[in-house]
Structure formats: structure tokens, C-alpha cells
Amino acid sequence: MCEETSPRYAGWRVVFACFLLALAIFGFALYGQGVYLVELQRRHGWPASLIAGASTLSLLLGSVITIFTDEIVKWLGLKRLALAGIASLAAAMVLIASASSPWQLYAAFALMSLGWVGMGTVTISTVVGAWFERRRGLAISLAFLGASSGGVVVAPLLVVLVKHAGFHSAMLIASTILLVVLVPAALAWIAPPPASAAMPGIHAERTSSPEVVSRAQLMRRLGFWTITIPFSLGVAAQVGFIVHQIAILQPKIGPVGAGLAVSVMTSMAIAGRLSLGMVADRLNPRIAASASLLSQAAALLTIRLTDDPSLMLAASAVFGFSVGNLITLPPLIIPREFEAASFTLVMGLFTAISGTVGALGPVLLGLAHGWSGDYGLALLLAIVLEVTAAAIVVGRR
């Protein structure tokens, strides 16, 4: 077997396949939702709240089902789970394009939630972690680079495709491309390593083991909550700011400046993932998480206190540099602190809780804005969440 540091090591092909999974699920099921909202409103005249409700349903259902990823992996295996996720996402995209009534729209987004289970963070972390030990941080960072790239690549291309082919045809074309590219990649590369070559640590397709903790036992362990609580708070603050960013910045630096700040933040998110991947295996991931959270808090404080366009752009860059870290770091902390055979169970429960809490971020910041009349209180709330999270995560070193 080639060493992990060798480009010929089979695990790097697994990382590439997981990169494609992340690119597709985040591109079409997250960043693409803005496109769906605009086009569905234009075609059917449905209110934004109705369409946004379907999106929320998809994310919440995905979080609930993710709790049981450990059992699903045992039942289906990693390859079939990934293929089921790909098929679910492609079918959901076709149904969204064909929906003529709200119940069909909600059924399509409910089906999309299965795509999150088969192609999302838990599955990717489990697959990649099974192949790597010494270079696990780099491998997971590269795989999750697809998540950031989904916003940079998939969403803009989908907009162009819709413009030239129409929404219905564009969605059919996109779902066909998704199947043509991802199904062969999953069949060829999504699998745990051979038993003789498996790295010490995570092995996703396994039989029952006395080392596997139950969810009830897990929820009584302080270490689980010192991961789950801070990352949940951090994700809530992060998602809340991203959703409200243009509304926050536009009164200060105008629509063009706000749009540029979003682009800077997204570009720095990719740079941050790559930078973390290069050094993650030499860092204490809890300290790295605390530093990321504090840097985002400092960026938000700068945005709250200044009207200077240059400082606004710099703060957006600093905030963006750590955006991906809140996804990359938990899969690096969990193997250090929990039984290897329990990784998928721990990761699944953690992701379900943090995803649900994180989904509340935009609502919390919106309520703070509505109560105070401006975004000063909302930004202060996000800063408090980030600082609290940084203190909790580093307190359990």
C-alpha cells in the first residue's frame, strides 16, 4: 500500500469523489436555493415565505435523519448510501422544476433532505476519515473544499443555464450532468479501505462492537457537549451573518460594495480551507476552532463599529477565512476524543444538533433587527455567540 503522503495513494481518489459530492450537494441543495426561489416566484407567483418554508423543511428533515446515519451506513454501506443520496438529489431537482402546486414543491424538498444524508458532511467525513490518519486534516479540508466551491461554481453556472435554456430545461440538464458525473465516481471510489489497508481509527462499515457508545451514553458525556454547543453557536452566528450580510453592509457601503464584500468573503473561505488543510494535522483542532471563532467575532465587531469601505472589505475577508473551518474541524476533534468505532454515530448526532441550531441563526438576527430597528444589536448578538463558543471549545483541551 502506498503511504498517505504519496499522490498514488488510493485515498486521494476517494477525496476527489467526496469533493464532487460536496460540490453537488452544497451547490444545488444550498446555494442553488436562491435560484429556485426567484424562478418559482416568477413562474407560479408563490410567496417567498412558502418557498422558503420548503427549503427549511429540507434542512430540518436532513438534520433529523442524519442522527441515524450510523444505522443507515450499517444497513446500506457507504457506496449505496452515496448512490441513494445522488439519486435523491437528482430526483428532487427534477420535481422542483416540474412542481405545479405547493404540495409537490414540499415533496421535492423533502426528497432533497435524503440527498443531504447520502452526500453531506457525516458521510464525507466517514469515508475520508476511513482512509487517512496522518493526513486526515488535509484530506477532509480538500474534500470539503467542494462545499465552498458549490457557491462559486454551481450556482453561477445554474443561473447562466436557466437564462439560456429556461428553468425547467436547465434543471433537467443539471440533474443529468449530476448523474453522469457522480454515479461513476461513487461506484469507483466511495468505499472504506480494504481491511488489510485500513488506517487505525475510523472504519465505517463494521459490525457491532462493544466500543460503540449509545446515543444516551453519548449525551451524558461532557466532551460531546463541549464540541456540540460551541460549534452550534458558531454556526448560528455564521449562517445568520451570511444571510443578512448584504442588508447589513448595503446602507454603509452601497449595493456594489456589499456585493464585492460577499465575493471577497467567499473567495477567502476557499483560501481558508486550503490553508487549514496544509497545517491541520499539526494543530490542536480545539485551539484552531477557538481562534477561528474569535477572528470572526473581531471581524463582526469591526463591521459594527466602522463605516469605512476598506475596513468593511477587510473584515469580510477575515470573517470568510474561517467560514469553512466550522465544518472541517469537528471531524478532526471527534476521532481524538471518542472511540473510533463510534465516529459515525457521534458525527451524526453532532451534525443534527448543530445543523438545527445553526438554522436558527438568520431568524435570531432578524428578530434582533426587528426589535432594535437596526443591525447593531444583531451584530452584537452574533459576537456574543462567537465569543461564548470560543471559550467553551478551548476550555476542554
Side-chain angles (χ1 to χ4, degrees):
M1 181 190 70
C2 295
E3 292 290 336
E4 291 179 26
T5 53
S6 171
R8 293 176 296 173
Y9 179 54
W12 295 114
R13 293 190 287 274
V14 177
V15 170
F16 178 66
C18 289
F19 170 89
L20 294 176
L21 292 182
L23 179 75
I25 191 65
F26 281 86
F28 290 113
L30 182 62
Y31 296 108
Q33 293 203 23
V35 180
Y36 309 153
L37 189 149
V38 170
E39 291 298 321
L40 290 170
Q41 279 188 306
R42 183 184 61 80
R43 297 183 73 191
H44 303 292
W46 293 336
S49 59
L50 184 147
I51 302 169
S55 300
T56 301
L57 173 69
S58 174
L59 296 173
L60 291 179
L61 273 179
S63 294
V64 171
I65 300 171
T66 295
I67 296 173
F68 305 101
T69 305
D70 189 59
E71 288 84 354
I72 297 172
V73 168
K74 291 176 182 177
W75 177 43
L76 288 179
L78 287 169
K79 190 185 297 290
R80 285 192 289 272
L81 176 57
L83 290 170
I86 295 166
S88 298
L89 176 59
M93 292 167 61
V94 173
L95 290 175
I96 289 170
S98 305
S100 58
S101 62
W103 77 264
Q104 293 173 328
L105 178 69
Y106 274 72
F109 274 95
L111 184 60
M112 185 176 285
S113 67
L114 301 180
W116 280 108
V117 179
M119 305 167 66
T121 56
V122 179
T123 299
I124 290 173
S125 299
T126 301
V127 174
V128 174
W131 284 86
F132 291 87
E133 183 184 22
R134 293 174 54 199
R135 304 295 287 167
R136 183 176 292 155
L138 175 60
I140 288 178
S141 294
L142 292 176
F144 283 138
L145 186 61
S148 300
S149 301
V152 177
V153 177
V154 173
L157 289 179
L158 185 58
V159 170
V160 172
L161 193 57
V162 168
K163 181 179 180 180
H164 287 86
F167 182 61
H168 187 270
S169 297
M171 294 292 278
L172 295 180
I173 293 168
S175 61
T176 301
I177 294 173
L178 185 149
L179 291 171
V180 169
V181 173
L182 292 189
V183 169
L187 288 172
W189 298 319
I190 298 295
S196 60
M199 296 295 162
I202 307 164
H203 196 290
E205 295 185 18
R206 58 189 183 275
T207 57
S208 298
S209 165
E211 295 182 349
V212 179
V213 298
S214 68
R215 290 189 183 88
Q217 292 172 324
L218 181 61
M219 295 182 73
R220 290 195 295 267
R221 289 173 64 166
L222 178 62
F224 173 74
W225 292 110
T226 61
I227 300 171
T228 303
I229 291 174
F231 280 98
S232 297
L233 297 178
V235 169
Q238 181 171 281
V239 173
F241 173 72
I242 290 172
V243 169
H244 292 274
Q245 183 181 12
I246 290 180
I248 292 170
L249 299 183
Q250 188 168 301
K252 296 188 174 189
I253 58 177
V256 175
L260 178 59
V262 172
S263 298
V264 168
M265 182 187 70
T266 306
S267 300
M268 289 301 292
I270 295 176
R273 270 192 205 278
L274 289 172
S275 300
L276 177 65
M278 299 303 294
V279 299
D281 297 298
R282 299 191 294 273
L283 296 176
N284 182 313
R286 281 187 178 269
I287 295 177
S290 183
S292 295
L293 290 162
L294 289 175
S295 71
Q296 289 192 329
L300 294 178
L301 182 61
T302 301
I303 290 171
R304 187 177 187 273
L305 296 178
T306 186
D307 291 333
D308 183 86
S310 298
L311 287 177
M312 290 280 195
L313 291 177
S316 295
V318 171
F319 188 92
F321 191 78
S322 293
V323 161
N325 295 355
L326 298 190
I327 296 177
T328 304
L329 288 168
L332 303 183
I333 298 173
I334 290 170
R336 295 184 177 209
E337 302 183 10
F338 292 89
E339 297 82 354
S342 300
F343 176 83
T344 307
L345 185 146
V346 178
M347 190 69 193
L349 185 58
F350 160 81
T351 301
I353 296 172
S354 62
T356 302
V357 174
L360 299 176
V363 175
L364 291 175
L365 267 63
L367 290 173
H369 172 267
W371 186 72
S372 64
D374 60 40
Y375 274 106
L377 180 62
L379 284 170
L380 184 60
L381 174 60
I383 292 167
V384 170
L385 291 176
E386 299 260 25
V387 172
T388 302
I392 295 172
V393 75
V394 81
R396 178 74 179 184
R397 287 187 298 167

